[in-house]
Amino acid sequence: MRVHVADHPLITHKLTVLRDATTPSSTFRALAKELVTLLAYEATRDVRVEPIEIQTPVTATTGVQIASPRPLVVPILRAGLGMLDGMTALLPTAEVGFLGMVRNEETLQPTTYANRLPDDLSGRQVFVLDPMLATGGSMLAAIRYLFDRGARDVTAVCLLGAPEGLGLLEEALPGENVHVVLGALDERLNEKGYIVPGLGDAGDRLYGTAH
Ligand code: PRP
Ligand code: URA
């Protein structure tokens, strides 16, 4: 498993505003989108391309286009939905699948309540979007779901991660072709499983309280 933690002042600046408890949902949504586009640049570094012949106004030349099968972007509902537009801005030809997951706030175990994915993901590059990698349980379940359908090349894009979540993925997916791209790696989880310093409940901050 490969891990990339963004080290860029613009990303850290935008994350600081995102973390601020006084930032309203409208600004939070706009910033989440901008941040994903910045992270997507790193996350798509190994996106598969194929050569294509084109004619410029001056001459014929060879360029590249995104290869087939097209990449699949999978936001984990709810909060991952706030990252979808930012990702597809950079990968407009990608297909989009959906996974709905919710973490039980007592046990911290995730359950999957919805999925809309192609049955066969063999040969597909898959980009999973979820702002928070906390215990890592939701992301691990999502990646296993994708593996069960044949995916073998998965990139997780998260705004914030905790060492506990990264550790779980590393332990559970040794040697797998999994790439984790984080906006920042925070200090730890608190006793309720929230990332510290974190930004609170990402879904609630994007869309309001759902309880
Ligand atoms: C949040 C977040 C992740 C999960 C992370 O979702 O968006 O999916 O928690 O926690 P974990 O790493 O400990 O599994 P939540 O369950 O709150 O659902 P929501 O997106 O609908 O708010
Ligand atoms: N889910 C969130 O939305 N925030 C956290 O800090 C942890 C899990």
Side-chain angles (χ1 to χ4, degrees), residues 59-100:
T59 186
T61 188
T62 305
V64 299
Q65 62 184 5
I66 303 288
S68 281
R70 289 185 280 163
L72 183 74
V73 177
V74 180
I76 300 182
L77 310 181
R78 247 181 338 160
L81 212 48
M83 301 170 71
L84 180 59
D85 286 354
M87 190 72 190
T88 52
L90 214 71
L91 267 186
T93 58
E95 290 180 358
V96 180
F98 297 90
L99 268 179

Side-chain angles (χ1 to χ4, degrees), residues 78-79 103 105 108 130-135 138 160 188-190 192-205:
R78 247 181 338 160
R103 181 177 86 152
E105 293 302 331
L108 302 184
D130 194 328
M132 311 304 274
L133 180 71
T135 64
S138 303
L160 295 184
R188 61 185 168 86
L189 298 181
N190 69 14
K192 292 186 170 165
Y194 276 78
I195 298 177
V196 179
L199 52 74
D201 186 306
D204 286 0
R205 298 216 47 202

Side-chain angles (χ1 to χ4, degrees), residues 93-118:
T93 58
E95 290 180 358
V96 180
F98 297 90
L99 268 179
M101 294 188 155
V102 66
R103 181 177 86 152
N104 179 307
E105 293 302 331
E106 305 290 317
T107 64
L108 302 184
Q109 295 306 306
T111 50
T112 304
Y113 60 84
N115 98 72
R116 194 83 167 87
L117 293 170

